[in-house]
mmCIF file with all atom_site columns, all heavy atoms in Angstrom:
data_model
loop_
_atom_site.group_PDB
_atom_site.id
_atom_site.type_symbol
_atom_site.label_atom_id
_atom_site.label_alt_id
_atom_site.label_comp_id
_atom_site.label_asym_id
_atom_site.label_entity_id
_atom_site.label_seq_id
_atom_site.pdbx_PDB_ins_code
_atom_site.Cartn_x
_atom_site.Cartn_y
_atom_site.Cartn_z
_atom_site.occupancy
_atom_site.B_iso_or_equiv
_atom_site.pdbx_formal_charge
_atom_site.auth_seq_id
_atom_site.auth_comp_id
_atom_site.auth_asym_id
_atom_site.auth_atom_id
_atom_site.pdbx_PDB_model_num
ATOM 1   N N   . ARG T 1 81  ? 43.133 90.585 114.447 1.00 96.00 ? 81  ARG T N   1
ATOM 2   C CA  . ARG T 1 81  ? 42.444 89.845 113.447 1.00 96.00 ? 81  ARG T CA  1
ATOM 3   C C   . ARG T 1 81  ? 43.154 89.700 112.147 1.00 96.00 ? 81  ARG T C   1
ATOM 4   O O   . ARG T 1 81  ? 43.265 88.581 111.586 1.00 96.00 ? 81  ARG T O   1
ATOM 5   C CB  . ARG T 1 81  ? 41.038 90.374 113.163 1.00 96.00 ? 81  ARG T CB  1
ATOM 6   C CG  . ARG T 1 81  ? 40.207 90.620 114.411 1.00 96.00 ? 81  ARG T CG  1
ATOM 7   C CD  . ARG T 1 81  ? 39.069 91.665 114.140 1.00 96.00 ? 81  ARG T CD  1
ATOM 8   N NE  . ARG T 1 81  ? 38.579 92.271 115.318 1.00 96.00 ? 81  ARG T NE  1
ATOM 9   C CZ  . ARG T 1 81  ? 37.409 91.751 115.984 1.00 96.00 ? 81  ARG T CZ  1
ATOM 10  N NH1 . ARG T 1 81  ? 36.805 90.748 115.406 1.00 96.00 ? 81  ARG T NH1 1
ATOM 11  N NH2 . ARG T 1 81  ? 36.980 92.270 116.998 1.00 96.00 ? 81  ARG T NH2 1
ATOM 12  N N   . LEU T 1 86  ? 46.366 86.552 108.175 1.00 96.00 ? 86  LEU T N   1
ATOM 13  C CA  . LEU T 1 86  ? 47.563 86.449 107.332 1.00 96.00 ? 86  LEU T CA  1
ATOM 14  C C   . LEU T 1 86  ? 48.457 85.237 107.627 1.00 96.00 ? 86  LEU T C   1
ATOM 15  O O   . LEU T 1 86  ? 49.135 84.753 106.806 1.00 96.00 ? 86  LEU T O   1
ATOM 16  C CB  . LEU T 1 86  ? 48.328 87.713 107.327 1.00 96.00 ? 86  LEU T CB  1
ATOM 17  C CG  . LEU T 1 86  ? 47.678 88.955 106.606 1.00 96.00 ? 86  LEU T CG  1
ATOM 18  C CD1 . LEU T 1 86  ? 48.536 90.234 106.795 1.00 96.00 ? 86  LEU T CD1 1
ATOM 19  C CD2 . LEU T 1 86  ? 47.421 88.602 105.210 1.00 96.00 ? 86  LEU T CD2 1
ATOM 20  N N   . ASN T 1 91  ? 50.183 78.501 112.333 1.00 96.00 ? 91  ASN T N   1
ATOM 21  C CA  . ASN T 1 91  ? 50.048 79.246 113.545 1.00 96.00 ? 91  ASN T CA  1
ATOM 22  C C   . ASN T 1 91  ? 51.426 79.427 114.213 1.00 96.00 ? 91  ASN T C   1
ATOM 23  O O   . ASN T 1 91  ? 52.002 78.365 114.577 1.00 96.00 ? 91  ASN T O   1
ATOM 24  C CB  . ASN T 1 91  ? 49.008 78.563 114.428 1.00 96.00 ? 91  ASN T CB  1
ATOM 25  C CG  . ASN T 1 91  ? 48.811 79.252 115.757 1.00 96.00 ? 91  ASN T CG  1
ATOM 26  O OD1 . ASN T 1 91  ? 49.560 80.075 116.112 1.00 96.00 ? 91  ASN T OD1 1
ATOM 27  N ND2 . ASN T 1 91  ? 47.740 78.928 116.437 1.00 96.00 ? 91  ASN T ND2 1
ATOM 28  N N   . ILE T 1 97  ? 53.197 68.472 119.834 1.00 97.00 ? 97  ILE T N   1
ATOM 29  C CA  . ILE T 1 97  ? 52.859 67.417 120.700 1.00 97.00 ? 97  ILE T CA  1
ATOM 30  C C   . ILE T 1 97  ? 53.914 67.191 121.723 1.00 97.00 ? 97  ILE T C   1
ATOM 31  O O   . ILE T 1 97  ? 53.668 66.826 122.912 1.00 97.00 ? 97  ILE T O   1
ATOM 32  C CB  . ILE T 1 97  ? 52.560 66.112 119.829 1.00 97.00 ? 97  ILE T CB  1
ATOM 33  C CG1 . ILE T 1 97  ? 52.029 64.985 120.704 1.00 97.00 ? 97  ILE T CG1 1
ATOM 34  C CG2 . ILE T 1 97  ? 53.821 65.659 119.149 1.00 97.00 ? 97  ILE T CG2 1
ATOM 35  C CD1 . ILE T 1 97  ? 50.598 65.142 121.073 1.00 97.00 ? 97  ILE T CD1 1
ATOM 36  N N   . GLU T 1 102 ? 54.450 62.760 124.196 1.00 97.00 ? 102 GLU T N   1
ATOM 37  C CA  . GLU T 1 102 ? 54.012 61.734 123.151 1.00 97.00 ? 102 GLU T CA  1
ATOM 38  C C   . GLU T 1 102 ? 53.256 60.664 123.889 1.00 97.00 ? 102 GLU T C   1
ATOM 39  O O   . GLU T 1 102 ? 53.779 59.974 124.772 1.00 97.00 ? 102 GLU T O   1
ATOM 40  C CB  . GLU T 1 102 ? 55.180 61.178 122.441 1.00 97.00 ? 102 GLU T CB  1
ATOM 41  C CG  . GLU T 1 102 ? 54.794 60.091 121.419 1.00 97.00 ? 102 GLU T CG  1
ATOM 42  C CD  . GLU T 1 102 ? 55.856 59.951 120.392 1.00 97.00 ? 102 GLU T CD  1
ATOM 43  O OE1 . GLU T 1 102 ? 56.926 60.417 120.533 1.00 97.00 ? 102 GLU T OE1 1
ATOM 44  O OE2 . GLU T 1 102 ? 55.475 59.215 119.335 1.00 97.00 ? 102 GLU T OE2 1
ATOM 45  N N   . ALA T 1 192 ? 37.828 84.746 121.666 1.00 97.00 ? 192 ALA T N   1
ATOM 46  C CA  . ALA T 1 192 ? 38.185 85.887 120.757 1.00 97.00 ? 192 ALA T CA  1
ATOM 47  C C   . ALA T 1 192 ? 39.191 85.463 119.682 1.00 97.00 ? 192 ALA T C   1
ATOM 48  O O   . ALA T 1 192 ? 39.217 86.137 118.670 1.00 97.00 ? 192 ALA T O   1
ATOM 49  C CB  . ALA T 1 192 ? 38.835 86.977 121.676 1.00 97.00 ? 192 ALA T CB  1
ATOM 50  N N   . CYS T 1 194 ? 39.177 82.620 117.983 1.00 97.00 ? 194 CYS T N   1
ATOM 51  C CA  . CYS T 1 194 ? 38.641 81.677 117.006 1.00 97.00 ? 194 CYS T CA  1
ATOM 52  C C   . CYS T 1 194 ? 38.190 82.384 115.793 1.00 97.00 ? 194 CYS T C   1
ATOM 53  O O   . CYS T 1 194 ? 37.181 83.092 115.880 1.00 97.00 ? 194 CYS T O   1
ATOM 54  C CB  . CYS T 1 194 ? 37.487 80.831 117.715 1.00 97.00 ? 194 CYS T CB  1
ATOM 55  S SG  . CYS T 1 194 ? 36.652 79.854 116.385 1.00 97.00 ? 194 CYS T SG  1
ATOM 56  N N   . GLU T 1 203 ? 25.259 81.885 127.511 1.00 92.00 ? 203 GLU T N   1
ATOM 57  C CA  . GLU T 1 203 ? 24.667 83.002 128.182 1.00 92.00 ? 203 GLU T CA  1
ATOM 58  C C   . GLU T 1 203 ? 24.140 82.641 129.558 1.00 92.00 ? 203 GLU T C   1
ATOM 59  O O   . GLU T 1 203 ? 24.310 83.403 130.457 1.00 92.00 ? 203 GLU T O   1
ATOM 60  C CB  . GLU T 1 203 ? 23.464 83.563 127.329 1.00 92.00 ? 203 GLU T CB  1
ATOM 61  C CG  . GLU T 1 203 ? 23.969 84.291 126.170 1.00 92.00 ? 203 GLU T CG  1
ATOM 62  C CD  . GLU T 1 203 ? 23.185 85.575 125.904 1.00 92.00 ? 203 GLU T CD  1
ATOM 63  O OE1 . GLU T 1 203 ? 22.319 85.871 126.771 1.00 92.00 ? 203 GLU T OE1 1
ATOM 64  O OE2 . GLU T 1 203 ? 23.457 86.292 124.935 1.00 92.00 ? 203 GLU T OE2 1
ATOM 65  N N   . GLU T 1 204 ? 23.578 81.409 129.676 1.00 91.00 ? 204 GLU T N   1
ATOM 66  C CA  . GLU T 1 204 ? 22.925 81.084 130.864 1.00 91.00 ? 204 GLU T CA  1
ATOM 67  C C   . GLU T 1 204 ? 23.878 80.810 132.101 1.00 91.00 ? 204 GLU T C   1
ATOM 68  O O   . GLU T 1 204 ? 23.643 81.181 133.137 1.00 91.00 ? 204 GLU T O   1
ATOM 69  C CB  . GLU T 1 204 ? 22.043 79.838 130.719 1.00 91.00 ? 204 GLU T CB  1
ATOM 70  C CG  . GLU T 1 204 ? 20.829 80.075 129.734 1.00 91.00 ? 204 GLU T CG  1
ATOM 71  C CD  . GLU T 1 204 ? 21.204 80.019 128.263 1.00 91.00 ? 204 GLU T CD  1
ATOM 72  O OE1 . GLU T 1 204 ? 22.465 79.782 128.008 1.00 91.00 ? 204 GLU T OE1 1
ATOM 73  O OE2 . GLU T 1 204 ? 20.364 80.149 127.409 1.00 91.00 ? 204 GLU T OE2 1
ATOM 74  N N   . ARG T 1 216 ? 36.846 74.806 112.316 1.00 97.00 ? 216 ARG T N   1
ATOM 75  C CA  . ARG T 1 216 ? 37.521 74.364 111.065 1.00 97.00 ? 216 ARG T CA  1
ATOM 76  C C   . ARG T 1 216 ? 38.924 74.033 111.273 1.00 97.00 ? 216 ARG T C   1
ATOM 77  O O   . ARG T 1 216 ? 39.725 73.891 110.335 1.00 97.00 ? 216 ARG T O   1
ATOM 78  C CB  . ARG T 1 216 ? 37.361 75.600 110.101 1.00 97.00 ? 216 ARG T CB  1
ATOM 79  C CG  . ARG T 1 216 ? 35.956 75.938 109.675 1.00 97.00 ? 216 ARG T CG  1
ATOM 80  C CD  . ARG T 1 216 ? 35.342 74.842 108.847 1.00 97.00 ? 216 ARG T CD  1
ATOM 81  N NE  . ARG T 1 216 ? 33.965 75.115 108.462 1.00 97.00 ? 216 ARG T NE  1
ATOM 82  C CZ  . ARG T 1 216 ? 32.891 74.424 108.871 1.00 97.00 ? 216 ARG T CZ  1
ATOM 83  N NH1 . ARG T 1 216 ? 33.152 73.320 109.655 1.00 97.00 ? 216 ARG T NH1 1
ATOM 84  N NH2 . ARG T 1 216 ? 31.739 74.656 108.539 1.00 97.00 ? 216 ARG T NH2 1
ATOM 85  N N   . GLY T 1 237 ? 40.559 66.746 113.778 1.00 96.00 ? 237 GLY T N   1
ATOM 86  C CA  . GLY T 1 237 ? 40.995 68.053 113.262 1.00 96.00 ? 237 GLY T CA  1
ATOM 87  C C   . GLY T 1 237 ? 40.235 69.132 113.829 1.00 96.00 ? 237 GLY T C   1
ATOM 88  O O   . GLY T 1 237 ? 39.998 70.170 113.291 1.00 96.00 ? 237 GLY T O   1
ATOM 89  N N   . GLN B 2 32  ? 29.320 68.594 108.423 1.00 96.00 ? 32  GLN B N   1
ATOM 90  C CA  . GLN B 2 32  ? 29.940 69.797 109.018 1.00 96.00 ? 32  GLN B CA  1
ATOM 91  C C   . GLN B 2 32  ? 31.039 69.354 109.906 1.00 96.00 ? 32  GLN B C   1
ATOM 92  O O   . GLN B 2 32  ? 32.090 69.953 110.131 1.00 96.00 ? 32  GLN B O   1
ATOM 93  C CB  . GLN B 2 32  ? 28.936 70.580 109.829 1.00 96.00 ? 32  GLN B CB  1
ATOM 94  C CG  . GLN B 2 32  ? 27.991 71.481 109.032 1.00 96.00 ? 32  GLN B CG  1
ATOM 95  C CD  . GLN B 2 32  ? 28.881 72.601 108.329 1.00 96.00 ? 32  GLN B CD  1
ATOM 96  O OE1 . GLN B 2 32  ? 29.651 73.298 108.964 1.00 96.00 ? 32  GLN B OE1 1
ATOM 97  N NE2 . GLN B 2 32  ? 28.691 72.762 107.024 1.00 96.00 ? 32  GLN B NE2 1
ATOM 98  N N   . THR B 2 36  ? 37.126 70.367 107.955 1.00 96.00 ? 36  THR B N   1
ATOM 99  C CA  . THR B 2 36  ? 38.307 70.870 108.674 1.00 96.00 ? 36  THR B CA  1
ATOM 100 C C   . THR B 2 36  ? 39.524 71.046 107.805 1.00 96.00 ? 36  THR B C   1
ATOM 101 O O   . THR B 2 36  ? 39.597 70.330 106.812 1.00 96.00 ? 36  THR B O   1
ATOM 102 C CB  . THR B 2 36  ? 38.590 70.095 109.956 1.00 96.00 ? 36  THR B CB  1
ATOM 103 O OG1 . THR B 2 36  ? 39.865 70.352 110.432 1.00 96.00 ? 36  THR B OG1 1
ATOM 104 C CG2 . THR B 2 36  ? 38.586 68.561 109.585 1.00 96.00 ? 36  THR B CG2 1
ATOM 105 N N   . GLN B 2 41  ? 49.907 70.412 112.198 1.00 97.00 ? 41  GLN B N   1
ATOM 106 C CA  . GLN B 2 41  ? 50.959 71.319 112.755 1.00 97.00 ? 41  GLN B CA  1
ATOM 107 C C   . GLN B 2 41  ? 51.493 70.864 114.094 1.00 97.00 ? 41  GLN B C   1
ATOM 108 O O   . GLN B 2 41  ? 52.683 71.051 114.400 1.00 97.00 ? 41  GLN B O   1
ATOM 109 C CB  . GLN B 2 41  ? 50.507 72.735 112.778 1.00 97.00 ? 41  GLN B CB  1
ATOM 110 C CG  . GLN B 2 41  ? 51.617 73.659 113.078 1.00 97.00 ? 41  GLN B CG  1
ATOM 111 C CD  . GLN B 2 41  ? 51.200 75.087 113.278 1.00 97.00 ? 41  GLN B CD  1
ATOM 112 O OE1 . GLN B 2 41  ? 49.959 75.444 113.022 1.00 97.00 ? 41  GLN B OE1 1
ATOM 113 N NE2 . GLN B 2 41  ? 52.097 76.015 113.627 1.00 97.00 ? 41  GLN B NE2 1
ATOM 114 N N   . MET B 2 42  ? 50.598 70.270 114.907 1.00 96.00 ? 42  MET B N   1
ATOM 115 C CA  . MET B 2 42  ? 51.003 69.866 116.263 1.00 96.00 ? 42  MET B CA  1
ATOM 116 C C   . MET B 2 42  ? 52.092 68.732 116.148 1.00 96.00 ? 42  MET B C   1
ATOM 117 O O   . MET B 2 42  ? 52.781 68.491 117.155 1.00 96.00 ? 42  MET B O   1
ATOM 118 C CB  . MET B 2 42  ? 49.926 69.562 117.173 1.00 96.00 ? 42  MET B CB  1
ATOM 119 C CG  . MET B 2 42  ? 49.111 68.347 116.766 1.00 96.00 ? 42  MET B CG  1
ATOM 120 S SD  . MET B 2 42  ? 47.940 67.998 118.036 1.00 96.00 ? 42  MET B SD  1
ATOM 121 C CE  . MET B 2 42  ? 48.948 67.918 119.474 1.00 96.00 ? 42  MET B CE  1
ATOM 122 N N   . TYR B 2 57  ? 50.014 80.596 99.777  1.00 98.00 ? 57  TYR B N   1
ATOM 123 C CA  . TYR B 2 57  ? 50.010 81.945 99.047  1.00 98.00 ? 57  TYR B CA  1
ATOM 124 C C   . TYR B 2 57  ? 50.391 81.783 97.557  1.00 98.00 ? 57  TYR B C   1
ATOM 125 O O   . TYR B 2 57  ? 49.793 82.372 96.726  1.00 98.00 ? 57  TYR B O   1
ATOM 126 C CB  . TYR B 2 57  ? 51.016 82.901 99.726  1.00 98.00 ? 57  TYR B CB  1
ATOM 127 C CG  . TYR B 2 57  ? 50.439 83.585 101.042 1.00 98.00 ? 57  TYR B CG  1
ATOM 128 C CD1 . TYR B 2 57  ? 50.997 83.262 102.259 1.00 98.00 ? 57  TYR B CD1 1
ATOM 129 C CD2 . TYR B 2 57  ? 49.319 84.353 100.886 1.00 98.00 ? 57  TYR B CD2 1
ATOM 130 C CE1 . TYR B 2 57  ? 50.475 83.871 103.369 1.00 98.00 ? 57  TYR B CE1 1
ATOM 131 C CE2 . TYR B 2 57  ? 48.783 84.905 102.020 1.00 98.00 ? 57  TYR B CE2 1
ATOM 132 C CZ  . TYR B 2 57  ? 49.326 84.669 103.302 1.00 98.00 ? 57  TYR B CZ  1
ATOM 133 O OH  . TYR B 2 57  ? 48.780 85.197 104.406 1.00 98.00 ? 57  TYR B OH  1
ATOM 134 N N   . ARG B 2 118 ? 54.888 60.681 112.385 1.00 96.00 ? 118 ARG B N   1
ATOM 135 C CA  . ARG B 2 118 ? 53.597 61.094 112.970 1.00 96.00 ? 118 ARG B CA  1
ATOM 136 C C   . ARG B 2 118 ? 52.676 61.654 111.946 1.00 96.00 ? 118 ARG B C   1
ATOM 137 O O   . ARG B 2 118 ? 51.609 61.350 111.784 1.00 96.00 ? 118 ARG B O   1
ATOM 138 C CB  . ARG B 2 118 ? 53.919 62.175 114.018 1.00 96.00 ? 118 ARG B CB  1
ATOM 139 C CG  . ARG B 2 118 ? 54.563 61.589 115.282 1.00 96.00 ? 118 ARG B CG  1
ATOM 140 C CD  . ARG B 2 118 ? 55.005 62.744 116.042 1.00 96.00 ? 118 ARG B CD  1
ATOM 141 N NE  . ARG B 2 118 ? 55.715 62.369 117.292 1.00 96.00 ? 118 ARG B NE  1
ATOM 142 C CZ  . ARG B 2 118 ? 56.376 63.185 118.091 1.00 96.00 ? 118 ARG B CZ  1
ATOM 143 N NH1 . ARG B 2 118 ? 56.378 64.534 117.854 1.00 96.00 ? 118 ARG B NH1 1
ATOM 144 N NH2 . ARG B 2 118 ? 57.047 62.754 119.169 1.00 96.00 ? 118 ARG B NH2 1
ATOM 145 N N   . TYR B 2 215 ? 35.720 86.915 110.584 1.00 97.00 ? 215 TYR B N   1
ATOM 146 C CA  . TYR B 2 215 ? 36.445 87.264 111.792 1.00 97.00 ? 215 TYR B CA  1
ATOM 147 C C   . TYR B 2 215 ? 36.731 88.739 111.855 1.00 97.00 ? 215 TYR B C   1
ATOM 148 O O   . TYR B 2 215 ? 36.786 89.279 112.984 1.00 97.00 ? 215 TYR B O   1
ATOM 149 C CB  . TYR B 2 215 ? 37.699 86.370 111.843 1.00 97.00 ? 215 TYR B CB  1
ATOM 150 C CG  . TYR B 2 215 ? 38.487 86.445 113.099 1.00 97.00 ? 215 TYR B CG  1
ATOM 151 C CD1 . TYR B 2 215 ? 37.869 86.296 114.354 1.00 97.00 ? 215 TYR B CD1 1
ATOM 152 C CD2 . TYR B 2 215 ? 39.849 86.721 113.049 1.00 97.00 ? 215 TYR B CD2 1
ATOM 153 C CE1 . TYR B 2 215 ? 38.660 86.402 115.523 1.00 97.00 ? 215 TYR B CE1 1
ATOM 154 C CE2 . TYR B 2 215 ? 40.665 86.771 114.201 1.00 97.00 ? 215 TYR B CE2 1
ATOM 155 C CZ  . TYR B 2 215 ? 40.039 86.603 115.418 1.00 97.00 ? 215 TYR B CZ  1
ATOM 156 O OH  . TYR B 2 215 ? 40.747 86.717 116.551 1.00 97.00 ? 215 TYR B OH  1
ATOM 157 N N   . ARG B 2 218 ? 33.485 90.681 113.377 1.00 95.00 ? 218 ARG B N   1
ATOM 158 C CA  . ARG B 2 218 ? 32.608 90.272 114.490 1.00 95.00 ? 218 ARG B CA  1
ATOM 159 C C   . ARG B 2 218 ? 33.123 90.677 115.885 1.00 95.00 ? 218 ARG B C   1
ATOM 160 O O   . ARG B 2 218 ? 34.378 90.854 115.947 1.00 95.00 ? 218 ARG B O   1
ATOM 161 C CB  . ARG B 2 218 ? 32.428 88.679 114.441 1.00 95.00 ? 218 ARG B CB  1
ATOM 162 C CG  . ARG B 2 218 ? 33.688 87.941 114.788 1.00 95.00 ? 218 ARG B CG  1
ATOM 163 C CD  . ARG B 2 218 ? 33.292 86.684 115.529 1.00 95.00 ? 218 ARG B CD  1
ATOM 164 N NE  . ARG B 2 218 ? 34.098 86.487 116.683 1.00 95.00 ? 218 ARG B NE  1
ATOM 165 C CZ  . ARG B 2 218 ? 35.000 85.537 116.775 1.00 95.00 ? 218 ARG B CZ  1
ATOM 166 N NH1 . ARG B 2 218 ? 35.171 84.655 115.844 1.00 95.00 ? 218 ARG B NH1 1
ATOM 167 N NH2 . ARG B 2 218 ? 35.722 85.380 117.902 1.00 95.00 ? 218 ARG B NH2 1
ATOM 168 N N   . ARG B 2 225 ? 22.863 81.461 123.398 1.00 87.00 ? 225 ARG B N   1
ATOM 169 C CA  . ARG B 2 225 ? 21.839 81.042 124.350 1.00 87.00 ? 225 ARG B CA  1
ATOM 170 C C   . ARG B 2 225 ? 21.799 79.446 124.139 1.00 87.00 ? 225 ARG B C   1
ATOM 171 O O   . ARG B 2 225 ? 21.814 78.974 123.070 1.00 87.00 ? 225 ARG B O   1
ATOM 172 C CB  . ARG B 2 225 ? 20.533 81.621 124.021 1.00 87.00 ? 225 ARG B CB  1
ATOM 173 C CG  . ARG B 2 225 ? 20.450 83.163 124.322 1.00 87.00 ? 225 ARG B CG  1
ATOM 174 C CD  . ARG B 2 225 ? 19.038 83.581 124.605 1.00 87.00 ? 225 ARG B CD  1
ATOM 175 N NE  . ARG B 2 225 ? 18.662 83.273 125.953 1.00 87.00 ? 225 ARG B NE  1
ATOM 176 C CZ  . ARG B 2 225 ? 19.011 84.059 126.965 1.00 87.00 ? 225 ARG B CZ  1
ATOM 177 N NH1 . ARG B 2 225 ? 19.666 85.151 126.809 1.00 87.00 ? 225 ARG B NH1 1
ATOM 178 N NH2 . ARG B 2 225 ? 18.572 83.778 128.245 1.00 87.00 ? 225 ARG B NH2 1
ATOM 179 N N   . ARG B 2 226 ? 21.544 78.845 125.313 1.00 74.00 ? 226 ARG B N   1
ATOM 180 C CA  . ARG B 2 226 ? 21.442 77.402 125.248 1.00 74.00 ? 226 ARG B CA  1
ATOM 181 C C   . ARG B 2 226 ? 20.128 77.052 124.574 1.00 74.00 ? 226 ARG B C   1
ATOM 182 O O   . ARG B 2 226 ? 20.105 76.141 123.806 1.00 74.00 ? 226 ARG B O   1
ATOM 183 C CB  . ARG B 2 226 ? 21.463 76.829 126.712 1.00 74.00 ? 226 ARG B CB  1
ATOM 184 C CG  . ARG B 2 226 ? 21.972 75.483 126.786 1.00 74.00 ? 226 ARG B CG  1
ATOM 185 C CD  . ARG B 2 226 ? 21.925 74.944 128.219 1.00 74.00 ? 226 ARG B CD  1
ATOM 186 N NE  . ARG B 2 226 ? 22.008 75.973 129.148 1.00 74.00 ? 226 ARG B NE  1
ATOM 187 C CZ  . ARG B 2 226 ? 21.711 75.830 130.467 1.00 74.00 ? 226 ARG B CZ  1
ATOM 188 N NH1 . ARG B 2 226 ? 21.308 74.627 130.809 1.00 74.00 ? 226 ARG B NH1 1
ATOM 189 N NH2 . ARG B 2 226 ? 21.900 76.805 131.311 1.00 74.00 ? 226 ARG B NH2 1
#
Side-chain angles (χ1 to χ4, degrees):
Chain T
R81 304 162 199 264
L86 290 177
N91 179 342
I97 189 77
E102 179 158 9
C194 173
E203 288 224 358
E204 293 83 358
R216 297 290 177 246
Chain B
Q32 281 294 313
T36 163
Q41 190 185 354
M42 65 175 306
Y57 280 117
R118 294 166 179 173
Y215 184 50
R218 69 144 226 249
R225 294 204 79 82
R226 207 180 332 166

